[in-house]
Every structure is written in structure tokens, then in C-alpha cells.
Amino acid sequence: MSQLTLLILQLAFLALLWVFVFVVVYSIRSDLFGRRVKRLPDAAANTFPSAAPPTFPASGQAPSAAVAGAAGAGAAASLTAVTEAVGTSAPEAGPKSKVPIFTPLEGSHAGTHPRATTGNATRLVITSGAKSGTEIPLGTMALTIGRSTDSSVVIRDDYTSTHHARLMVWNEEWMIQDLDSTNGTFLDGKRVTSPMTVPLNTPIKIGATSFELRR
Amino acid sequence: MTAPRPGGNAGTPPRGIRRIRVPQKLRNLELFLVVFACGINAAAVALVQLGALGGIDLATMLTLGLGLSVLVLGMHVALRFVAPNADPFILPIATVVNGIGIAMIYRIDVSRNVSGWDSTAVRQVVWSGLAIVLALGVILLIRNYRVLQRYTYVAMFLAGILLLLPMLPGIGREVYGARVWIGIGPFSFQPGEIAKIFLAVFFAGYLVQRRDSLSMVGRKVLGIRFPRARDLGPILVLWALSMSVIVFQRDLGTALLYFGLFVVMLYVATGRTSWIVVGGGLFSLGAVIASQVLPYVNDRFTAWLDPFNQKRYEEIGGSYQLVQGLFGLGNGGLIGTGLGEGRPDITPLAQSDYIFASLGEELGLAGVFAVLALYLLFVARGLRISFAGHDDFGRLLGVGLSFVFALQCFIVIGGVTRVIPLTGLTTPFMAAGGSSLVANWIIAALLIRLSDTVRNQPRLVI
């Protein structure tokens, strides 16, 4: 093998090495310059009229700008967008729901619904509050709810405690436990004092947000 | 990834993220980069063979190239299932640096004419395999890094035990004056490499609890708030520890590594510049005293300040190795002599402590800077992951792990290039030696786990 060939190969190798470096740098450019934040469409409230379930008239939640499907599956950018949405919708939602009144569903008390188990409950649906209509899939892992960012479901309003409540699985059944929150966790209108089993389609209210476990 | 998007129409309830099938973009990018990395590694081995042997020896190339590639691809596949949201750059960067290291070690084996199990390169491949399997084990075992916070003090004791192991008679071994090795039969290991991970865990857990008292009070001098005398306790303990490493284990580099790690984590936890001032002052004081009192430290300092003195060059424990390394780097020039065509094997320990000089001789400034850029990217990813972290423990742990990696690069490469006195640390991922590989792959695994958790949480923000 001649010297010239070896020199060319050497240069090619160095070039390859640098190409690798620059491919990595190019791929992380969004970390350097920030990801584009998509604006939430203002018209979302109009195109999405049935977001607040009609069975919750007293909680007075207008369907806000928050949009279904915005579960924070990851990127910081989407979180930023979500936070902005909360920032804009909170003032209008806040005063109306100053006293969180719970109106039970007609004919729905815990007895009529089967208990939620890991087998029959597949999703957690937000039924009222800034993000009503949003749902997240349930696994078998416990979910923590609170204002702190290390919760699985972060609720940022004036009524939620840092570590507010926990949804956990006991013997394959979903249980709700209140973590000594200031304003309480309400399962079907009754304050949760000790861990309680959660029936399907029964609202759990935390601050201005309520959610249900559904099939 | 999942940008907020308008939900479905009124008829079907918006089914949120169950509908959105997130393609594993991150993992596909990682796959591309890993394949690229394996290609670079194979090219490096092939160039070594062309340069040093004059032809391709396919069997050796397959052992050296395929071993690492298969394991790394296996790890990639495993990540698709156990950490799908992990950072996609850590694995490929580690692969490239590890592979270039193997090629360089193989190149020195060729010039020493060893093969089979005598070959350091083959052993390095086996160690890499073991390290990758251990890293995968760490990822599988630690599904949630916050578990580590529970074991703050256990980590402290483990780090202490690992540091003390080389001092035990029987298994402790002294290599080139430094007593940082343990040996059982033919196997030897440097427990201090693993200890730095436990120390990072311990510091993170400890500082999360204690940082308030370390940052809130103190007296202001020259615009910097200095801590109270009684809050100096932890830093003094760490200082005493690193000084005892200098005195008893006779290893400057390790001492600097541990102390630097603690000072920087303290700085990050409290946001106080005064800790850097106090820490830097303490360590400089210790180093100056040690250089006056301990002959081996004094040798290192004089060899650093005046290496080209003929007498110093020729004496035992003098500057021979340092100067050979510098000559090698000089011989390499801008683009290097070409893989397999230089004489890096003249330098003592060309495969382990001096692999960076060997690399500089054969790949030149261009190649060395590429490797430095890869290290920089690795550390930058680590810091980025910790920046995005949700809880203080995770953030501090991420900072600690990335910084200890960066500091180790600085200490060893700075020593080889005569920026600071030479100390015997290993170049991360590259230098021949199992303990360093295992430790650095575990650091990579912890960063991968951290980044996966960071991107996973929270699932919903209201």
C-alpha cells in the first residue's frame, strides 16, 4: 500500500470522525437554540364545545384554551406550551371556581359502579378544570398528584398541595389516598380521609380539577 | 415530541395520548449514530492494520470490531424497551471513544508483537463487554434513580470501603509507586474508579439535605459570603480524605478528582462562589505542602516545570515519559503520522496512561480535537440532562457524574500535555484497563437512566 493511499485514507478517517462530531452537534441544535413553541390556537374553545361535561354545571368550568391530547409525554417544549396555556386560562377559571362545589352525578354513588381494577380501568379522564377532556393511560404504576413537578399529574392551582394525593394499586384495585392535603381530596363528594377504593366513572375532585377512572 | 394538538371532533371523545403513537425518534437517531460509530471503529482497526501490517487481517478485525458492535447494538435494543426516552447521544459517543481506544491499544499490541490473550486489545474488548453488560444491569436495576437517595449513607460507606481496599495487606498492590490497586490472582482492579460513582451519589444525597445550612449563613468579605467556621466541617473532612489519599495511596490525581467533585457539587448545590475559593485554596495549600514534604510529589512538580533538563530526563522517576509523550504529540503534528505508522510504543504506558499521546501522534491535532469534542459533547449532554431534571437529587447527581468525568479528562489530558503536573489517571473510555471502563460505562448508564426519567415525568401538567 503506497504512502499516498495511506495518507488519503488517514484524511478520510479524520473527516469521518469530524462528520460524526458534527452530526451529533447538528442533532442537538434544538437544545442549543430551543425548540419551537407551538402557539395554542385561540379558537380551540369554540371548536371544542363539549369539552366540559354537561353533568357538571355548578363547577362552572368554561372549556378553556387547554386542548385535549396535550399530555406531557415528554419534550420540555410541550411542557412550556402547556404552562403558558395554564397561565392564560387560570385567571378566568380561578374566580368562578373559588369555592369548589361538588355536584354529584345524578344517580351515581359509589355503590352502583364496579370498582376500578387494573383490569377494567384503562384511562384517567379529566372531567372538569382547565384541562377537561384530557386523558392519560393508566398502567399498573401508582400516580402521584400534586403541585410539585415530580408528580405524575401536576395540577397548578391555588387549591392543590405540593404532594396532594396518590392513586395506587392495592391487590389490583385502584385506591385513592389523600396525602394530608390542605384542601382535601373528594371521592364522589366525600372527603377522603383514609385510602379508599375508587369505583369506575366516579369523580375524584382535587382543587378545581376532577377526574374519573374509565374503561 | 407530542406537541399540543387540537383534540378530535365532538363525536368521538378525544382519546389523548393513547392515539398518538410516538415513533421512537430518539432511539432511531441513536441507532443511526451507533451504526455510524461502529463504522468508525471498524475503519480505525482497518487503518491500523493497513499502516502497521500492510494488509487486512480479517479475523482480528472481526474479533475487535464485532465484539463491541454487537454489545452496543444489544444495549441499544434493550434501551428501546427499558428506557425509550433516554438521551440518544450518550451511547454512540461512548462507543466511538471506546472503539478508537481499542484500535489504538491494538496498534501498540501490533508493535509489541503480542496476540491472543496476551493482547491488551483483546482483553480490552472483553472488559468493554463486561462493562456494557454491567451498565445494562444498572439501567435494568435502577428503574427510578431516586431510589439511590435512600442509600446516601450506604453509598458513603461503600465509597470508604472501596478507597480503603488497596491499603489492606494481601490484596492491595502497589503499581508504579501508587497504591490504588487490588489484585486477586491474575486479576487487578482499581476500586477508586467505582468509588467516585458512590461518592457522587453520597454527595448528591447529602447536599440535598444540608445545603440550606451551607448556603444561608455566613459573613461577607469582599463581596463574597463566606461560610461560618462550623459549616466548614464537611469540606475539611473531604480535604483530609484527599490529603490522606495523596499521602498513603500516593496518587495525586485521585485526590484532586474526589476533592474537585465535592467542591463543585457544593458550589452547584449552594450557588456560593466562596466554596470554590475555599476549596481551591485548601487544595493548593495541600498540594504545595505535599510537594515540599513528599518526594514523589516533588518529582512530579519538578518534572512538570523543567522536563527538558537532561539530568531530569535520564533519572528514574524523572521526566522521560512526559517528554516522550510530548515528542510523540510533536511528531504527530496537524494530521498525524497515520494510524499504525508512528512510534507511540516508545512511550512507557502508551496503552493506558499515555494513550492520549499515542492518539495524538497517529491522528494528530485534528484527531485529538475530535476526541476532545466527543468528550465535551458527552459532558454537555450530562449537564443538560441534569439541568432538565425535576428534583434536586437528580440534578445534583447528574452534575456530579458529568463533572467527575470532565475533571478526569482534564487531569489526565492536562498531565500528558504538560498543563498540570502529570498524575496517573485513566483517560475515560479509552485507556486500557477494566476498572476505568466499568466505571465510565456505569456513569453513562446512570446518565441514560436520568435522562429517561427526566423525559418521562410528569405525564400531565394542568
Side-chain angles (χ1 to χ4, degrees), chain A:
Chain A
M1 183 106 6
S2 78
Q3 279 301 314
L4 184 64
T5 329
L6 282 176
L7 179 68
I8 291 169
L9 285 176
Q10 163 82 357
L11 289 176
F13 179 73
L14 288 175
L16 194 67
L17 212 52
W18 277 105
V19 167
F20 181 81
V21 171
F22 280 110
V23 166
V24 172
V25 171
Y26 179 76
S27 313
I28 63 175
R29 71 192 183 285
S30 68
D31 278 353
L32 300 173
F33 305 112
R35 216 176 276 266
R36 282 180 143 196
V37 178
K38 278 187 188 150
R39 273 198 157 278
L40 293 174
D42 294 335
N46 301 330
T47 59
F48 198 29
S50 63
T55 43
F56 283 87
S59 57
Q61 285 298 333
S64 64
V67 171
S78 72
L79 293 188
T80 332
V82 166
T83 327
E84 276 174 17
V86 171
T88 53
S89 65
E92 60 178 276
K96 284 184 197 165
S97 52
K98 193 116 199 166
V99 186
I101 306 166
F102 176 77
T103 4
L105 280 167
E106 279 171 69
S108 85
H109 47 90
T112 58
H113 291 290
R115 289 175 170 187
T117 63
T118 50
N120 64 13
T122 58
R123 57 208 169 101
L124 182 157
V125 186
I126 310 289
T127 50
S128 78
K131 275 293 190 58
S132 59
T134 312
E135 56 187 63
I136 58 174
L138 288 173
T140 51
M141 300 281 286
L143 291 176
T144 52
I145 302 160
R147 205 194 297 210
S148 76
T149 42
D150 56 4
S151 313
S152 321
V153 178
V154 180
I155 301 181
R156 292 189 181 125
D157 64 16
D158 292 348
Y159 318 107
T160 312
S161 301
T162 316
H163 300 285
H164 196 108
R166 183 191 290 153
L167 262 177
M168 54 195 173
V169 181
W170 277 5
N171 300 329
E172 301 195 338
E173 282 183 357
W174 284 101
M175 311 278 290
I176 181 93
Q177 182 192 17
D178 185 74
L179 300 173
D180 250 353
S181 65
T182 312
N183 293 317
T185 307
F186 297 88
L187 174 65
D188 204 16
K190 289 186 281 293
R191 186 160 183 161
V192 177
T193 47
S194 59
M196 289 165 78
T197 51
V198 181
L200 280 173
N201 302 327
T202 307
I204 298 169
K205 192 163 182 70
I206 287 175
T209 305
S210 30
F211 56 86
E212 293 176 5
L213 302 190
R214 288 188 188 164
R215 276 178 215 278

Side-chain angles (χ1 to χ4, degrees), chain B residues 171-252:
Chain B
I171 57 168
R173 272 190 196 170
E174 200 167 306
V175 181
Y176 298 111
R179 203 176 168 88
V180 291
W181 292 83
I182 54 169
I184 299 159
F187 299 101
S188 57
F189 201 78
Q190 221 173 331
E193 291 277 350
I194 307 290
K196 69 187 179 191
I197 299 172
F198 285 116
L199 279 178
V201 172
F202 164 58
F203 292 159
Y206 171 79
L207 289 172
V208 163
Q209 289 171 7
R210 291 298 174 81
R211 61 171 169 187
D212 284 349
S213 69
L214 295 174
S215 70
M216 290 302 172
V217 286
R219 187 177 298 132
K220 228 173 183 177
V221 179
L222 294 173
I224 300 175
R225 191 175 292 276
F226 280 93
R228 292 179 303 186
R230 62 178 123 160
D231 290 331
L232 287 175
I235 201 169
L236 286 178
V237 168
L238 254 292
W239 181 74
L241 177 87
S242 57
M243 286 304 133
S244 63
V245 168
I246 291 186
V247 174
F248 296 112
Q249 304 197 334
R250 294 200 274 170
D251 194 351
L252 267 177

Side-chain angles (χ1 to χ4, degrees), chain B residues 342-408:
Chain B
R343 296 294 309 277
D345 50 300
I346 298 176
T347 316
L349 296 179
Q351 292 166 316
S352 50
D353 288 9
Y354 259 71
I355 192 152
F356 194 76
S358 314
L359 202 73
E361 180 170 357
E362 303 221 315
L363 288 180
L365 190 71
V368 160
F369 266 47
V371 171
L372 285 180
L374 290 174
Y375 281 140
L376 181 69
L377 285 172
F378 187 91
V379 173
R381 290 319 292 169
L383 292 177
R384 170 77 202 173
I385 290 165
S386 16
F387 178 69
H390 289 294
D391 63 320
D392 294 336
F393 176 75
R395 288 174 171 217
L396 269 178
L397 183 62
V399 168
L401 292 175
S402 358
F403 181 75
V404 81
F405 188 92
L407 186 60
Q408 186 162 353

Side-chain angles (χ1 to χ4, degrees), chain B residues 308-327:
Chain B
F308 297 105
N309 186 327
Q310 186 69 26
K311 181 170 154 289
R312 196 147 292 131
Y313 176 74
E314 281 164 359
E315 73 188 1
I316 307 253
S319 61
Y320 176 76
Q321 187 188 25
L322 183 60
V323 169
Q324 284 304 327
L326 291 175
F327 285 164

Side-chain angles (χ1 to χ4, degrees), chain B residues 129-209:
Chain B
L130 192 65
I132 292 171
V133 170
L134 279 174
L136 200 54
V138 167
I139 294 178
L140 289 174
L141 194 68
I142 303 174
R143 299 308 280 261
N144 182 351
Y145 64 86
R146 277 182 226 124
V147 173
L148 292 175
Q149 194 173 2
R150 284 184 219 151
Y151 300 107
T152 301
Y153 291 95
V154 175
M156 179 186 81
F157 279 113
L158 285 176
I161 288 168
L162 285 170
L163 278 177
L164 285 177
L165 271 181
M167 304 309 294
L168 291 180
I171 57 168
R173 272 190 196 170
E174 200 167 306
V175 181
Y176 298 111
R179 203 176 168 88
V180 291
W181 292 83
I182 54 169
I184 299 159
F187 299 101
S188 57
F189 201 78
Q190 221 173 331
E193 291 277 350
I194 307 290
K196 69 187 179 191
I197 299 172
F198 285 116
L199 279 178
V201 172
F202 164 58
F203 292 159
Y206 171 79
L207 289 172
V208 163
Q209 289 171 7

